[in-house]
Every structure is written in C-alpha cells, then in structure tokens.
Amino acid sequence: MTDFNLSPETRKQFFSFVIERLEHYYAATANEKVTPELTRDAIRTYTEIADFGHPFEDQKALDHLLTGLEQFAVHTPHPAYFGLFNPRTNFLSILSDLITAVFNPQLAAWSHAPFAVEVENYLIREFAVKFGYNALEADGVFTSGGAESNLTALLCALNAKLPRFSVNGLWGVPQMPVVYCSAEAHHSLHKAARITGLGHDAVRSIPVNERQQIDIGQLSIALKKDITEDLLPLMVVGTAGTTGTGAVDDLIALNKLADQYNLWFHADAAYGGGAILHPDARLWLDGIGMADSITFDAHKWMSVPMATSMFITRHKSILSHTFSIRTDYMPKDATEQPVIDPFTHSIQWSRRSIGIKLYLSLLFFGWKGYEEVIGHQIAMGDYLRWQLKKSGWTVCNQAAMPVICFTDNFLEINDDFIPYMVHQLVASGKTWVSTYPVHGRLSIRACITNYDTTEKDIDMLLNLLNIERDKYRA
Ligand SMILES: *Cc1c(COP(=O)(O)O)cnc(C)c1O
C-alpha cells in the first residue's frame, strides 16, 4: 500500500529540500522581478504537465510546485510591492502554518482542540481590550477574512435587531432592512447583503466628504428618507482605513447616529485596525470601542499568512444567538466547566486553527515588536509622501495611514498619463503600484504593506517615477 507517511529518511530529505528553497526565496525576495511575465497559456501548460495517473517520483513533485510558485506570481512579499494589503509574512507565522498542518487541530468543538480554542479565545479577549471593549463582556471569533467578518457582522445585526430572524429569516420581516456605509466602503458588504438575502440594493453607499469619510449630513438625510418610506434602517458601517485611500470615517459621529436611530454600528477596520497597536496611530481610530462589532484582518497589517481575520463584538450573547444549533453528532463538552464550541459561534464548522500563527507571532515578537514594525511602515508612508512632494507630485488623499494616492497636476489632464505610468512601473519588474480614483481623479496608489520596505526602496520608486514622467513629457 502507498505509504502516506514516507520513510523517516525521505521526510528528512524532503524537509531539507523544501527549507532550502524557501529560505532562498525568503532571503532573496528582493532579487525577484515583482511581476514576472504571466501568460495564461504558459501557466496552464505548466500546471497541466502533471498527470495524476502517473505521479512524479522523488523530489520532482516538490520542485514542480515550488517552481510554479516562484515563477508565476506577483511577488507580494517583495519590499517594492506597494500594493494592496498583502504583507510579507513574518517568519514565526510561517512556522506556525507548518505546525498547524502537522497537528491539524479541529476547531469545531472545544473538546477536540481545547488548547487551540483557548488560544483563539485569549487573542479575542486581548484584541477586544486593545480596541476598547470590556474583556468580560466581549466575544468574538476568528474568521477566514474581512469578507467573512463583515458577513458575520450583518448576521449579528439582523439577529440583534430582529430577534426571530434566525428562525423565520426574511419571511418574518415586514420592512426591508437597510445597511449604510460610505461610497468608499469595501464591497464585501454588498456581498454580505446578497448572501443574507437582503440583496445588493439594501446597501446605501453614502457619498464621502473631502477627506473621503462618510458624509454625516448625507447619511442623516438618507436615514430620514428611508424611515419615511417605511424601510428599516438596520446597520451602519464605519470604515477605519478604506481600501482605496486609507480614510477613517468619523466613528464618534456614526456612533451617535447609531444610538439615535437604533442601528447596529459596525467598524470595518480590516486594514486600519493595525493602528491600534501603535500608541500614536491608535488615536486615528478614536471611537472604535463604541462600535457594536469590529472586523480586523491580522493577515493585512499584522504580517501573518492568509486567512486570518477576527470578528469582535461587545455583545456577549449575539454570536450564540445567531449561530448556535444543537446536534447529536457533535462531541459533547468534555468537562463540566462552561466552554463554548466555536461552531456554535461562527459561519464555519470544521475548521483549522486560525489563531495559532498570531499567537506564536505575539509570543515571540510581543506587542512591542508590532508597535515598532507598524511604526516603521507609517514612517515609510510619511517618507514617501515627503519625497513625492519634493519631486513635484501631488498627493490626492489625506490619510495618515501609509496609503498614498498621487498624481502630477500638469500631466493628469491627459487621460493616458496615469495608466502609462503604472504600466511602465509594473512592466519594469522593479515595483508594483495600482491606480485609484480619488474624487473622480485617477491617481497612482502606493501602499506600504511590507515591514521590510526601507527608504532605499522608496528612493528607487521615486527615481522610476521621475524617469518615466520625463519620458512621458518628452
Ligand atoms: C480587505 C478588506 C476587506 C475584505 O477582507 P478580506 O480579508 O479580503 O476578505 C473588507 N474591508 C476592508 C476595509 C478591507 O480593506
């Protein structure tokens, strides 16, 4: 019979083979082209060379996989990847993923993986306190990402405001529930509206002000109008660090409105929540502790591998009210002590430990380590802004977070200027940036999302930008 264990010698050999290749990539990521040539047909051909009827022997399978990952990907761990919120992963969190795969703890029930469950519970309490909740009142669950956390928030809002929602669903709801967020909010909220059956149109995208924050005046008008039309305002979402420009909504004003209109107030801090770990930056999130619930993705600013997000709430019983189901096949609690089975608090059922990688990262680097690394990325963002202004670029957004949208005031009247610049930069293989419209003006968007990014990388980016701008002018 095929031996899935392999022999101890083969395991050792495979371990060293993989570790050598990984160490090479990890140590020399900066030598990669950030975006190599990625042609679909070549990648498909490479993928389909593998014939599962005639599996590879020896290390060929490993080599095939590693080579595919090395060659055919945007290298997001590269220090000059100024991209979406995809971090370089810290080394301890990488080890955690291997460790997790070996033990494969089953986190549906407490009794099967009590240590791994308690690790997650402890982290939820610690982060709840960081965000300003009372540890005894707070509850939460690890999820696969911001999208799942935001969906969890909408389900909690429905169950909190419509007590029979979990039984009757939307059939028992006489008025159409409405969700409010800014036009800059993440579209996972629209997806959540689709999944819950509210539908896409139940989400009101409220215009933003000069600072890309939700316009509170317009929000009030929308609320009043919906009430007049006999709809049911259900939830308002404040984004703390928008995906496009890093803007933080006025969370204190949103909380006030939420109180006034009896709304569930959710703070989507998927990216920006990391600011809570820095003594100065945490002030940007003022008011977040008043939110009924919070989304925070550790796989963004905390440099751990995907898929690591947290949904945290200050309402102890809402997750259980929303998700708890009794079954006969699930193991019963192993102890007489009150414990919570994660499957009664979450969308997922069988699932991996999500928290272990964050736990090991914090065990080793501590809060202090994160404070330094997040502070460094903020400083690099400030440095980039400063260098851009020195070279005559205009920064279009006002965020304090290291998300910078910029343009050239003289050249932007040409529709092809920004696309040309981004194309040239990405094609150079030296860096990766994207475009984003700020108040209708297309801009170049560069985000510091890597703890390894230094002034040298930013100087290189500026140099490229200035050279390509000169070429465009010529
Ligand atoms: C990234 C992001 C999300 C979605 O999170 P995923 O982890 O990609 O599922 C939601 N909201 C905001 C503000 C984000 O930046």
Side-chain angles (χ1 to χ4, degrees):
M1 190 189 70
T2 304
D3 181 10
F4 272 13
N5 285 326
L6 307 182
S7 70
E9 294 74 40
T10 311
R11 287 204 296 268
K12 255 191 208 147
Q13 201 188 336
F14 281 16
F15 261 133
S16 7
F17 181 80
V18 169
I19 285 178
E20 199 165 305
R21 287 281 286 271
L22 294 182
E23 173 58 22
H24 179 263
Y25 178 79
Y26 200 65
T29 321
N31 297 344
E32 304 284 338
K33 271 187 133 187
V34 183
T35 309
E37 195 176 322
L38 302 171
T39 44
R40 194 202 60 186
D41 287 352
I43 298 168
R44 271 205 189 153
T45 306
Y46 183 84
T47 308
E48 293 171 5
I49 283 173
D51 172 1
F52 306 141
H54 300 90
F56 289 140
E57 280 170 12
D58 299 329
Q59 291 162 3
K60 226 174 139 216
L62 295 170
D63 180 60
H64 179 78
L65 177 69
L66 288 162
T67 304
L69 289 166
E70 285 159 2
Q71 291 188 357
F72 303 127
V74 175
H75 292 294
T76 53
H78 192 291
Y81 170 79
F82 296 101
L84 310 174
F85 306 130
N86 299 309
R88 178 177 175 84
T89 47
N90 82 65
F91 192 67
L92 271 289
S93 68
I94 292 172
L95 293 181
S96 315
D97 258 8
L98 176 63
I99 295 167
T100 304
V102 174
F103 289 93
N104 201 24
Q106 163 60 287
L107 267 80
W110 187 94
S111 58
H112 262 49
F115 173 62
V117 173
E118 289 303 329
V119 160
E120 292 194 352
N121 291 345
Y122 178 44
L123 287 166
I124 291 286
R125 284 196 301 273
E126 287 287 293
F127 279 87
V129 171
K130 288 266 174 213
F131 281 113
Y133 289 166
N134 174 337
L136 297 174
E137 308 270 298
D139 193 18
V141 66
F142 273 81
T143 70
S144 58
E148 187 189 338
S149 291
N150 283 343
L151 173 58
T152 304
L154 181 50
L155 285 164
C156 285
L158 284 162
N159 281 284
K161 301 298 176 191
L162 306 162
R164 293 200 47 82
F165 183 80
S166 66
V167 182
N168 297 331
L170 286 176
W171 298 107
V173 182
Q175 295 161 293
M176 181 177 121
V178 185
V179 175
Y180 304 82
C181 61
S182 91
E184 293 289 317
H186 195 271
H187 287 87
S188 54
L189 295 166
H190 294 80
K191 228 186 202 183
R194 291 177 180 209
I195 296 168
T196 49
L198 295 180
H200 198 102
D201 286 353
V203 180
R204 298 267 181 276
S205 295
I206 308 295
V208 291
N209 64 19
E210 270 303 295
R211 303 182 69 87
Q212 282 97 25
Q213 300 167 304
I214 190 166
D215 185 316
I216 301 291
Q218 299 261 9
L219 172 59
S220 303
I221 293 169
L223 280 162
K224 287 191 188 115
K225 179 163 175 284
D226 286 340
I227 290 167
T228 320
E229 291 176 8
D230 207 24
L231 305 179
L232 178 70
L234 178 83
M235 166 162 107
V236 63
V237 179
T239 307
T242 56
T243 319
T245 68
V248 181
D249 288 336
D250 183 342
L251 303 177
I252 292 171
L254 288 180
N255 182 59
K256 241 191 216 159
L257 271 186
D259 278 351
Q260 190 183 339
Y261 288 95
N262 188 30
L263 309 172
W264 184 273
F265 173 29
H266 178 65
D268 181 358
Y271 162 62
I276 211 72
L277 303 175
H278 190 276
D280 305 329
R282 61 176 296 129
L283 303 177
W284 304 337
L285 308 181
D286 204 14
I288 199 164
M290 298 176 197
D292 292 295
S293 56
I294 298 169
T295 286
F296 175 49
D297 278 7
H299 66 212
K300 287 178 175 167
W301 220 350
M302 290 195 72
S303 309
V304 301
M306 288 174 272
T308 313
S309 178
M310 279 175 260
F311 169 82
I312 311 176
T313 173
R314 61 183 169 82
H315 301 278
K316 193 96 201 149
S317 60
I318 191 63
L319 281 169
S320 158
H321 176 63
T322 302
F323 294 111
S324 186
I325 286 179
R326 293 202 67 79
T327 69
D328 291 328
Y329 49 81
M330 289 300 285
K332 300 295 171 282
D333 293 344
T335 73
E336 294 304 308
Q337 310 147 56
V339 294
I340 290 164
D341 289 324
F343 88 98
T344 66
H345 271 215
S346 69
I347 292 172
Q348 296 188 51
W349 201 290
S350 290
R351 73 164 167 91
R352 77 199 307 263
S353 156
I354 302 170
I356 283 178
K357 51 198 153 179
L358 191 55
Y359 188 63
L360 188 60
S361 303
L362 279 163
L363 277 177
F364 190 81
F365 297 114
W367 296 123
K368 195 79 194 157
Y370 273 103
E371 180 187 321
E372 286 171 12
V373 161
I374 285 172
H376 169 74
Q377 290 176 65
I378 293 167
M380 289 303 99
D382 293 341
Y383 180 74
L384 174 56
R385 269 185 214 100
W386 180 58
Q387 290 298 326
L388 284 165
K389 287 176 190 162
K390 255 178 49 181
S391 288
W393 297 88
T394 301
V395 174
C396 315
N397 65 324
Q398 302 176 45
M401 292 184 188
V403 183
I404 297 109
C405 298
F406 58 96
T407 184
D408 182 299
N409 272 344
F410 298 102
L411 297 172
E412 72 169 357
I413 45 163
N414 304 313
D415 285 344
D416 66 342
F417 172 62
I418 300 284
Y420 165 86
M421 290 296 299
V422 170
H423 175 267
Q424 293 299 103
L425 263 60
V426 172
S428 76
K430 293 185 182 139
T431 187
W432 197 96
V433 293
S434 54
T435 60
Y436 193 75
V438 182
H439 297 301
R441 283 162 79 181
L442 196 62
S443 68
I444 304 173
R445 178 186 177 283
C447 171
I448 317 292
T449 180
N450 183 327
Y451 54 83
D452 251 0
T453 300
T454 62
E455 293 184 358
K456 210 177 97 222
D457 301 298
I458 291 167
D459 293 342
M460 184 276 299
L461 173 65
L462 253 296
N463 192 33
L464 266 182
L465 280 165
N466 294 340
I467 289 173
E468 291 300 337
R469 180 174 56 181
D470 286 345
K471 273 203 232 159
Y472 180 85
R473 274 202 196 113

